[in-house]
Amino acid sequence: MTDANHPMPSLAYRTQTLASRKPTRFDFRPNAAGRAAIAAALGLLDLPAFRVSGEIRPVGRQDFDLVAELTAEAVQPCSVSLAPVPCTLRETLHRRFVAGYTTPEGDEVEMADEETDPLPEVLDIAEIATEALALALPLYPRAPGVELGEAVFAGPGVAPLADADLKPFSGLAGLADKLKKPDSGSSSEG
């Protein structure tokens, strides 16, 4: 996804060389070319600011916690009109890297902790930061004043379905209201 003009930025630590008694601090701030590469990889129009700073803390003999603050200014295309939609993000990241961790299988997958991963040989802060940014971005950004509207599809000679047609019980509320109100024109005397 990247080319020679915009190489993906990197900030990596070999886990065997991390301090086992004190945190290893980091501050990942890609330059303009690095932000452009990340923006291209994530389908962003622009990434004017991006920073992830924090530390890798030893836990026990072989495990590590990564705790960091992500801040970013991103510009996404509107999901309807493709107009630029700026957003400002601030997220706290927490990931645990465990030596000897096995990936859950079968029924255990539902119980898996999303913040726990196997301890890799190299902790790539840039990769972790880019993934965290991708997860933090709004899924369907909308430019101000843009509405989704209603899409209508049908083949030749076929009446298209409208949203109201897909809600067959929506008319029952009106019918229930009519049944609750006594008819003012009729008399029960006879």
Side-chain angles (χ1 to χ4, degrees):
M1 285 199 173
T2 62
D3 57 30
N5 297 330
H6 298 289
M8 284 295 276
S10 180
L11 175 60
Y13 296 94
R14 294 194 70 68
T15 54
Q16 290 180 335
T17 62
L18 289 170
S20 62
R21 292 192 175 154
K22 65 178 183 168
T24 301
R25 289 183 175 79
F26 62 87
D27 191 6
F28 176 67
R29 291 190 215 193
N31 62 18
R35 290 191 315 273
I38 293 170
L42 298 180
L44 300 174
L45 299 176
D46 194 11
L47 187 58
F50 184 38
R51 179 181 186 186
V52 176
S53 61
E55 55 189 27
I56 303 166
R57 301 173 184 162
V59 177
R61 293 182 178 203
Q62 298 178 327
D63 303 339
F64 293 92
D65 275 350
L66 181 141
V67 179
E69 185 75 20
L70 176 149
T71 55
E73 293 177 21
V75 181
Q76 295 176 272
C78 173
S79 60
V80 178
S81 69
L82 301 181
V85 181
C87 69
T88 300
L89 302 169
R90 180 176 221 82
E91 297 276 327
T92 300
L93 306 181
H94 179 255
R95 301 272 295 272
R96 171 153 296 176
F97 296 95
V98 177
Y101 179 80
T102 57
T103 305
E105 295 179 16
D107 293 340
E108 295 175 356
V109 171
E110 292 179 20
M111 301 289 290
D113 181 359
E114 293 177 2
E115 295 178 349
T116 303
D117 293 299
L119 182 67
E121 286 184 38
V122 175
L123 278 176
D124 187 340
I125 303 302
E127 183 180 306
I128 293 166
T130 302
E131 177 184 299
L133 175 62
L135 293 172
L137 289 167
L139 285 177
Y140 303 104
R142 287 231 189 111
V146 173
E147 293 187 26
L148 187 55
E150 182 178 349
V152 179
F153 302 99
V158 177
L161 285 174
D163 283 345
D165 297 331
L166 299 175
K167 299 176 185 173
F169 298 107
S170 62
L172 291 179
L175 181 60
D177 287 343
K178 286 183 181 179
L179 292 174
K180 287 180 186 175
K181 294 180 183 175
D183 188 8
S184 59
S186 65
S187 173
S188 58
E189 293 178 47

